[in-house]
Amino acid sequence: MPASPYIEFRDVTKRFGDGPLVLDRVSFSAAPGEFITLIGPSGCGKSTLLRLLAGLSPVTSGTIAAGGRDPAAVATDLAFVFQEPTLLPWLSVAHNIEVPLQLRGVDAATRAASRQRVLELVRLQEKAGAFPRQLSGGQKMRVSIARALALAPRMMLLDEPFGALDEMTREHLNEELLAIHAQQQWTAFFVTHSVAEAVFLSNRIFILAANPGRIHAEVTVPLPGPRTADTRLARDYHELVAHVSRLLRSVDPEAA
Amino acid sequence: MSSKALKVLLPALTGALLLALWYAAHFFLISEERRFLLPPPGAVWHAFIKDAPLLLHAAWNTAQGALLGFGLAVVISFGFALLLSLSPLVRASLYPFLTAVQLTPLPILAPICVIWVGAGLASVAVLTFAIAFFPLVVNTTQGLISVDRNLLELFQLYRASRWQQLFLLRVPAALPYFFTGLRIAATLAPIGAVVADMNAGSSAGDGGGLGFQAVIYSSQLKIPALFATAALTCLLGFIFNAAILTLAWLALHHWHDSYERTDH
Ligand SMILES: Nc1ncnc2c1ncn2[C@@H]1O[C@H](COP(=O)(O)OP(=O)(O)O)[C@@H](O)[C@H]1O
Ligand SMILES: [Mg+2]
């Protein structure tokens, strides 16, 4: 593992106003290119943790260090994929993908080149001119991912991006996402409710407990890459899924 | 029969039926000495033909007043909506006064307006403005402030400037609301222009509109000509509304659900 972590939480605590503690002394560090998944009962602070990472909300106490870099520089290096596709309905797929670049003042020619590159990555070239309402749920999510990738981010934050999709589409998009990650090696923080998804995607899984939110356990996933549909048939994979499920059940009796 | 043919045929049938009822009422329902109160369609048509140059000219004058007032209302309401969208405090301070303008009946505003800007086109435009302004400003403001929270967060995440947030997000997101306001205003504007013209119109410089003409006809008890004036007013409103609906369709049908095609 490289000497300097890409991002490091030290005793990060979060509460909103004078409400209850949402996150209690969370500490971890992530190396560049790691794929980390957060899983835990709902309301345990997973989304809040991502929002702290993105600088959308301030920490109450503790620090977020960015490997010696200015935290503001981290903010311009990251992309966020929300639970909803959050596309602008009045813009075509192509224009939607260019929005973050446009907001950064990138010129039109460069924007077009980036857009072309990411449309190929998510295999939606022929939908460039379509409007969001003409797309299926899975296609919208792929546009949302393409929009995030267009920034060539060094960190990707994904908050249950596939939660609303059917199982088949979700597995398919998991494979696609991993293939892109293998090429681009951004650091990923991925939130999900699906243990199978967590195991398939991650290098490490953080199992969070609620009230207050904290990291209850951490599981390293040593499955070799490239991971493909066949990975889901492997014995190691199933053992890991069972292991993580047990851990999750110990913090969340309602979890499957 | 295809549903398209039916969509043309049914209104035509209804129209024919109404004309027949109208004739029937005139000849069979009303006693001979009172028939003049409900002139038959033919008489209305003749009255129109007889006064066509006068009536068409009046319609043109009314249309000008309506368009001018409506156009002013669109531009100025947009500026106001931007201001009102800034904060709930701005809205709280200004809404009561905007509502006051809306709640004052046109015939009462009219004489004040005549004193200020003189009778005729200027007054008609100002009064049309007064009636079209409110639905526009309320709807556009609503649109500017009810942008999807997730989209706002997206813009915040990518460090959008205030201007970028306004012109790339809030304004386009407000378009459907703006057009709702525009459609209400387009219904009110021609009616407003005619009422304004009745109260603040002037024939000076050939400037009388349909409202003014209606006042003259009614003083002369020219009932068929009054009916013809009413029909022209209707037509004007219809053209106005059709134009706005077309505009709304052009702007929104790509992406907005209210314009989803239901025929396939
Ligand atoms: N903006 C906010 N203001 C107040 N409380 C919040 C806010 N955002 C989240 N919370 C609270 O923080 C807790 C964690 O929420 P969240 O991070 O969304 O959980 P998760 O994503 O794990 O389901 C919840 O109790 C939620 O009510
Ligand atoms: Mg959440």
Side-chain angles (χ1 to χ4, degrees), chain B residues 40-256:
Chain B
V44 173
W45 177 249
H46 282 300
F48 170 71
I49 293 299
K50 191 165 146 269
D51 275 1
L54 187 69
L55 278 169
L56 288 176
H57 190 71
W60 172 237
N61 284 339
T62 297
Q64 274 179 304
L67 262 180
L68 201 62
F70 183 75
L72 275 177
V74 170
V75 174
I76 295 175
S77 71
F78 192 76
F80 256 89
L82 289 181
L83 185 70
L84 289 166
S85 73
L86 289 180
S87 91
L89 293 177
V90 179
R91 290 194 285 286
S93 355
L94 293 180
Y95 262 147
F97 302 97
L98 295 178
T99 315
V101 174
Q102 172 72 5
L103 291 178
T104 314
L106 214 54
I108 292 179
L109 282 180
I112 302 174
C113 194
V114 170
I115 292 168
W116 283 355
V117 300
L121 182 65
S123 267
V124 173
V126 168
L127 292 167
T128 306
F129 166 87
I131 205 171
F133 180 74
F134 193 75
L136 277 166
V137 84
V138 168
N139 280 284
T140 309
T141 305
Q142 195 57 41
L144 289 171
I145 63 178
S146 30
V147 177
D148 185 349
R149 265 185 51 89
N150 292 323
L151 294 181
L152 281 171
E153 194 149 80
L154 180 82
F155 271 58
Q156 190 191 344
L157 177 75
Y158 293 126
R159 305 290 187 275
S161 70
R162 249 190 120 78
W163 291 111
Q164 288 176 323
Q165 196 200 65
L166 183 62
F167 288 107
L168 298 177
L169 181 58
R170 285 189 191 271
V171 169
L175 273 186
Y177 293 80
F178 167 73
F179 275 107
T180 301
L182 204 64
R183 283 159 68 172
I184 300 169
T187 308
L188 293 174
I191 299 173
V194 171
V195 176
D197 194 46
M198 295 181 83
N199 292 279
S202 155
S203 62
D206 222 12
L210 288 171
F212 193 77
Q213 205 51 49
V215 173
I216 293 175
Y217 284 145
S218 88
S219 70
Q220 300 169 338
L221 228 65
K222 286 191 175 168
I223 294 176
L226 269 177
F227 271 76
T229 312
L232 261 185
T233 310
C234 257
L235 187 67
L236 194 66
F238 190 77
I239 293 171
F240 226 81
N241 275 283
I244 295 303
L245 281 179
T246 309
L247 216 62
W249 186 84
L250 286 174
L252 300 178
H253 77 280
H254 287 303
W255 61 275
H256 202 255

Side-chain angles (χ1 to χ4, degrees), chain A residues 14-17 19-23 40-51 57 83 159-160 191 193 208 211, chain B residues 149:
Chain A
K14 176 70 181 177
R15 68 167 90 234
F16 292 94
L21 259 190
V22 171
L23 290 174
S42 69
C44 73
K46 304 179 293 294
S47 299
T48 303
L49 201 156
L50 291 198
R51 294 170 54 80
S57 184
Q83 185 162 9
D159 194 353
E160 300 185 44
V191 172
H193 276 118
L208 275 73
N211 301 320
Chain B
R149 265 185 51 89

Side-chain angles (χ1 to χ4, degrees), chain B residues 4-18:
Chain B
K4 223 175 193 164
L6 272 178
K7 270 183 191 155
V8 178
L9 195 71
L10 288 177
L13 274 175
T14 316
L17 188 68
L18 283 175

Side-chain angles (χ1 to χ4, degrees), chain A:
Chain A
M1 204 161 271
S4 80
Y6 179 75
I7 204 111
E8 190 173 4
F9 268 48
R10 287 195 212 104
D11 287 330
V12 169
T13 296
K14 176 70 181 177
R15 68 167 90 234
F16 292 94
D18 44 13
L21 259 190
V22 171
L23 290 174
D24 184 22
R25 283 167 296 154
V26 174
S27 298
F28 63 84
S29 65
E34 261 201 296
F35 202 119
I36 293 176
T37 294
L38 312 175
I39 193 165
S42 69
C44 73
K46 304 179 293 294
S47 299
T48 303
L49 201 156
L50 291 198
R51 294 170 54 80
L52 295 180
L53 270 169
L56 283 171
S57 184
V59 301
T60 304
S61 69
T63 53
I64 301 178
R69 290 171 312 133
D70 180 6
V74 178
T76 60
D77 272 354
L78 67 84
F80 207 125
V81 179
F82 298 95
Q83 185 162 9
E84 304 287 324
T86 56
L87 304 177
L88 308 188
W90 55 89
L91 294 182
S92 67
V93 165
H95 284 122
N96 260 293
I97 289 174
E98 290 184 26
V99 164
L101 298 165
Q102 201 179 351
L103 293 178
R104 296 246 165 108
V106 175
D107 66 88
T110 315
R111 291 207 304 261
S114 305
R115 178 232 299 162
Q116 204 50 40
R117 177 177 58 81
V118 295
L119 272 176
E120 273 168 39
L121 278 176
V122 299
R123 297 180 298 106
L124 276 178
Q125 296 98 308
E126 70 288 3
K127 293 286 183 193
F131 283 83
R133 59 186 273 200
Q134 299 168 305
L135 304 178
S136 70
Q139 287 172 330
K140 279 186 209 161
M141 215 56 230
R142 272 151 71 193
V143 175
S144 188
I145 289 171
R147 178 179 63 192
L149 293 172
L151 288 164
R154 294 178 57 186
M155 177 159 74
M156 281 275 267
L157 308 175
L158 304 102
D159 194 353
E160 300 185 44
F162 307 138
L165 305 178
D166 62 88
E167 186 78 15
M168 288 275 288
T169 310
R170 172 196 283 238
E171 288 189 353
H172 192 77
L173 286 178
N174 282 170
E175 289 151 31
E176 251 176 47
L177 188 68
L178 264 197
I180 297 169
H181 177 255
Q183 275 180 39
Q184 305 195 333
Q185 288 297 319
W186 17 266
T187 307
F189 286 88
F190 188 100
V191 172
T192 182
H193 276 118
S194 155
V195 174
E197 185 170 60
V199 171
F200 183 79
L201 290 172
S202 319
N203 303 114
R204 275 196 292 163
I205 300 172
F206 295 167
I207 292 129
L208 275 73
N211 301 320
R214 61 201 181 276
I215 297 180
H216 169 77
E218 184 188 315
V219 174
T220 303
V221 181
L223 296 173
R227 296 180 196 170
T228 62
D230 288 339
T231 306
R232 293 197 188 87
L233 307 174
R235 191 195 169 103
D236 296 357
Y237 169 82
H238 286 284
E239 281 170 359
L240 279 161
V241 170
H243 178 53
V244 174
S245 296
R246 272 193 297 274
L247 285 168
L248 187 58
R249 223 169 12 233
S250 72
V251 296
D252 182 11
E254 283 170 33

